[in-house]
Amino acid sequence: TGVMKDGFQSLTSKETGSQIDDQIDEVRKTVDTGQFQLGTLLLNRIQRAHAEALTPRHRFRVLTNHGAAALGAGDPERAAKYFLEALAYQPEDEKGQINEVFAYLLVGDIQTSHAKAKSLRIKYPASARLAALWLSTAPKEASLESLESEISSVLRTDAEVSLALARRALLQRAFEKALRHTQLAMASAPKWSQPLLVLAQIGSGRVFFDDFRSSGSAEQALEEAESACSTALVLACDEH
């Protein structure tokens, strides 16, 4: 879940109005604080207690939260199943459609995930999360420059987008560009563990490929990578 800078709540939505919505919102808080089994138990209880009263919107929300809980519990395939089932109840919901893209990524169907992300970007051009998923699933042969050209300056300020670009740069051994994008992600989301992880990968990658054309040394790069890993672990604990 560290892929998402805003945690599990970025997968679900908060709503007010009915007693059922209030109960789902309470479960949402439970999942976001890492109580995944409890969240699943409470969602099952809502489904049993309100079986006849659940509207399509309620069912969408329950299934989406089931997906977030399953993901947190380390079961991406079950999470993907829930996200896809949820979309059937609210096929026009923006978050639901983006979660569908994420679902295909979770089960390793990268080609379908990228195709759906590409199509949805026309519909939701301002969605940073969608842009990040599009970047993450782009074909390996796509150049970094071609991908960067498709991302607006506004979207590049988002941490998930910056980090997706950093990972693409790292994949192509463009270590200086990877570092710049990672630093942008760190500035935008200083308490997110993933930029620190990528920072460590940059350092170790430079050592592995003996890439010190600009500055630094292998010893310095390894020390920085070790420090970044340590900080990433601390932050990851806070993210559950």
Side-chain angles (χ1 to χ4, degrees), residues 51 99 112 125 179 186 190 206 210 237:
N99 281 348
T112 299
L179 180 59
M186 292 171 64
R206 290 181 68 196
D210 194 25
C237 288

Side-chain angles (χ1 to χ4, degrees), residues 145-165:
E145 290 74 19
S146 66
L147 296 173
E148 286 177 325
S149 68
E150 296 292 329
I151 303 298
S152 70
S153 59
V154 174
L155 286 176
R156 287 193 201 189
T157 63
D158 179 85
E160 288 187 34
V161 174
S162 295
L163 199 63
L165 286 169

Side-chain angles (χ1 to χ4, degrees), residues 195-211:
L196 275 299
L197 177 60
V198 173
L199 188 63
Q201 292 171 332
I202 292 169
S204 57
R206 290 181 68 196
V207 172
F208 189 82
F209 292 105
D210 194 25
D211 189 308

Side-chain angles (χ1 to χ4, degrees), residues 67-81:
L71 184 62
D75 193 341
E77 290 190 359
R78 187 159 59 95
K81 177 175 174 288

